[in-house]
Amino acid sequence: RYYGEHLVFALHVHAFAFLVFTVVALIVLLPVGDILVVPLYLAILLYVYLAQKHVYGQGWLKTVVKGAMLGGLYLPALIGGLVLAVLLAAAFG
């Protein structure tokens, strides 16, 4: 696969995640909204798994292993980006 195909896939996954984050931000305003937060976050994991399985056409075990490896690499990058954003906002904000 070409880089562009992976990029489009990543954009689709992130768009779904941002949609869920928006729904969560609206739901927590409701009195019983906290109950729905965890299932919505789990929906992101399920969506990523199903999307990877569909797009790359591999078995469930290989998809889980690759997803776990990618998640293990993505999480530190995400945390680093958030820390950098907070530091920049504190310095220039």
Side-chain angles (χ1 to χ4, degrees), residues 41-64:
Y41 286 145
L42 291 176
I44 294 173
L45 294 175
L46 179 64
Y47 178 80
V48 170
Y49 169 75
L50 293 175
Q52 277 184 320
K53 188 159 174 33
H54 177 74
V55 169
Y56 297 109
Q58 297 170 336
W60 68 270
L61 181 61
K62 193 169 186 179
T63 302
V64 167

Side-chain angles (χ1 to χ4, degrees), residues 2-90:
Y2 293 108
Y3 173 77
E5 294 172 314
H6 296 293
L7 180 63
V8 169
F9 175 76
L11 290 173
H12 279 267
V13 168
H14 280 87
F16 179 77
F18 293 145
L19 174 68
V20 170
F21 296 148
T22 303
V23 170
V24 166
L26 295 173
I27 283 180
V28 295
L29 299 174
L30 300 174
V32 293
D34 294 337
I35 298 169
L36 301 172
V37 171
V38 172
L40 285 172
Y41 286 145
L42 291 176
I44 294 173
L45 294 175
L46 179 64
Y47 178 80
V48 170
Y49 169 75
L50 293 175
Q52 277 184 320
K53 188 159 174 33
H54 177 74
V55 169
Y56 297 109
Q58 297 170 336
W60 68 270
L61 181 61
K62 193 169 186 179
T63 302
V64 167
V65 170
K66 287 173 74 173
M69 289 174 40
L70 287 171
L73 294 171
Y74 182 74
L75 187 60
L78 178 65
I79 291 171
L82 290 173
V83 168
L84 181 62
V86 168
L87 292 175
L88 288 173

